Amino acid sequence: MANTKLQKLNLLDKFLFDEAMEDRETYQAVISILLENEVELLGKTETEKELRVSPELRQVRLDVVGMDREGTIYYAEMQQRNTGNLIRRSRYYQAQLDVSLLEPGSTDFNLLNDSCFILIAPFDIFGRGLYRYTFDGVCRECPDLRLEDGSLRVFINTKGKNRESFSQEFLDFMEYIGKTTDEMAGSSASQKIRRIHRRVCAVRESEKAGVKYMQRWEEIAYAREDGKIEGKIEGRAASILELLEEKEPVPVVLREEIIAEESEEVLKRWLQAASHAESIEEFVKRKALFS
């Protein structure tokens, strides 16, 4: 039997995104739509790939990584919440990936693969109203001169306003990301979007994926309960917000209320409500029963 919560996830959800992108053709279709350029990936994609240059340094976990015929590496991340550090985080991720590409002792930096980092979010990091922001190193003094170091960073805002600058396929996919339904996929003429949706449906119907999804949230809840995050009260509040953010953005008023709550017992009940609710609206209803 299909997992009910998994059935209701949109592609904005990191879990569904990662599971769907494990299929190379699906990830290839996504990259091709986002860049509006046909990309042909080779081999298997890697999801939740961990990179750590040294035990003393912070590790990074990349959502999805794939490589095309020319050796260009595409790594994408789905981000639901604006943490305020995404621009510099993209810099750190790209640096970590670059370090991992060269063999120890290698002296020829021209062996570095070209790379493209793509961050997808339902908000506008730069506030200019664009669907896509592409950065590739331009000289301030000579705007026609590019660095051409092989690195590209692309930020996708699914709520952009410059519709006239993009293909209908791109615009349809922007809607599909936040409304991943049969109706939305069926209303688009894009074969790529339909290909992506077939993969999404397969993940939703997968018993293995359903079990993995539930285990994931159980592990989060247990980790918080075991005190792996400093302070039980702060830990429970953070756990509640993380559970809710995976469903949809949390309203500011609700977020502040959760953070301000000082009763450990109340937060424990709210955590239980967040674990079982399938939407913010349902959480608020369940929460009211405990208040």
Side-chain angles (χ1 to χ4, degrees):
M1 183 177 178
N3 183 289
T4 304
K5 292 184 178 181
L6 185 55
Q7 287 284 324
K8 294 185 177 182
L9 296 182
N10 290 323
L11 205 56
L12 273 174
D13 184 272
K14 188 180 291 287
F15 178 86
L16 181 60
F17 181 74
D18 288 356
E19 290 292 312
M21 296 308 114
E22 283 187 352
D23 176 69
R24 176 178 58 82
E25 291 185 2
T26 302
Y27 188 44
Q28 177 175 287
V30 168
I31 297 299
S32 296
I33 292 174
L34 294 178
L35 300 182
E36 292 186 296
N37 182 43
E38 291 300 322
V39 173
E40 185 176 355
L41 299 180
L42 297 176
K44 294 182 177 180
T45 59
E46 294 185 72
T47 58
E48 296 189 319
K49 179 179 176 64
E50 292 187 359
L51 296 176
R52 187 195 293 271
V53 179
S54 165
E56 288 76 34
L57 298 179
R58 186 190 189 282
Q59 76 169 22
V60 299
R61 177 175 293 178
L62 307 178
D63 278 7
V64 198
V65 181
M67 184 171 68
D68 70 10
R69 288 185 175 276
E70 285 70 45
T72 299
I73 295 176
Y74 300 87
Y75 53 117
E77 178 175 350
M78 186 64 75
Q79 181 70 33
Q80 285 199 38
R81 184 164 55 94
N82 191 348
T83 58
N85 62 4
L86 296 175
I87 297 173
R88 287 182 180 267
R89 189 169 86 180
S90 71
R91 168 185 161 188
Y92 187 78
Y93 277 25
Q94 196 157 33
Q96 289 285 336
L97 180 65
D98 284 347
V99 172
S100 72
L101 294 176
L102 289 181
E103 296 292 333
S106 176
T107 58
D108 187 358
F109 292 100
N110 285 322
L111 294 176
L112 275 173
N113 303 63
D114 286 355
S115 66
C116 177
F117 171 80
I118 304 174
L119 186 140
I120 309 161
F123 50 83
D124 191 344
I125 297 175
F126 303 100
R128 302 293 182 91
L130 305 184
Y131 277 107
R132 186 174 64 206
Y133 299 87
T134 304
F135 297 88
D136 60 357
V138 176
C139 177
R140 289 183 181 179
E141 289 76 12
C142 305
D144 62 327
L145 179 62
R146 282 182 159 71
L147 195 57
E148 295 186 358
D149 63 352
S151 66
L152 194 69
R153 277 187 276 177
V154 180
F155 297 83
I156 300 292
N157 162 32
T158 65
K159 303 294 178 62
K161 298 176 182 178
N162 59 328
R163 298 179 61 86
E164 69 285 352
S165 301
F166 293 90
S167 66
Q168 189 59 50
E169 181 178 58
F170 180 94
L171 297 172
D172 288 349
F173 190 55
M174 293 299 98
E175 290 190 47
Y176 176 79
I177 289 174
K179 190 179 181 182
T180 312
T181 63
D182 295 341
E183 292 74 20
M184 190 62 239
S187 67
S188 174
S190 168
Q191 293 302 314
K192 290 189 182 71
I193 291 178
R194 294 182 182 184
R195 171 70 183 82
I196 294 165
H197 190 61
R198 287 196 295 272
R199 171 62 181 175
V200 166
C201 291
V203 171
R204 286 171 169 169
E205 295 296 331
S206 168
E207 183 177 346
K208 181 179 178 181
V211 171
K212 184 178 178 181
Y213 180 67
M214 294 309 297
Q215 286 177 338
R216 177 184 179 183
W217 291 122
E218 287 176 3
E219 289 171 1
I220 290 175
Y222 288 140
R224 301 285 161 88
E225 289 295 318
D226 290 342
K228 292 181 181 178
I229 290 184
E230 258 183 28
K232 284 191 175 181
I233 290 178
E234 292 84 356
R236 285 204 175 104
S239 183
I240 293 167
L241 290 172
E242 188 167 354
L243 284 168
L244 295 177
E245 287 287 1
E246 288 293 334
K247 307 177 200 311
E248 55 188 291
V250 179
V252 174
V253 174
L254 180 59
R255 175 183 296 277
E256 292 177 348
E257 181 184 358
I258 292 171
I259 294 174
E261 180 56 54
E262 297 181 351
S263 169
E264 185 178 338
E265 185 59 32
V266 170
L267 286 171
K268 186 175 181 180
R269 291 175 179 175
W270 288 0
L271 179 59
Q272 182 182 359
S275 299
H276 292 88
E278 296 179 358
S279 66
I280 298 291
E281 182 180 0
E282 184 180 343
F283 167 74
V284 172
K285 291 179 180 178
R286 287 176 177 269
K287 170 179 159 298
L289 297 176
F290 295 136
S291 300

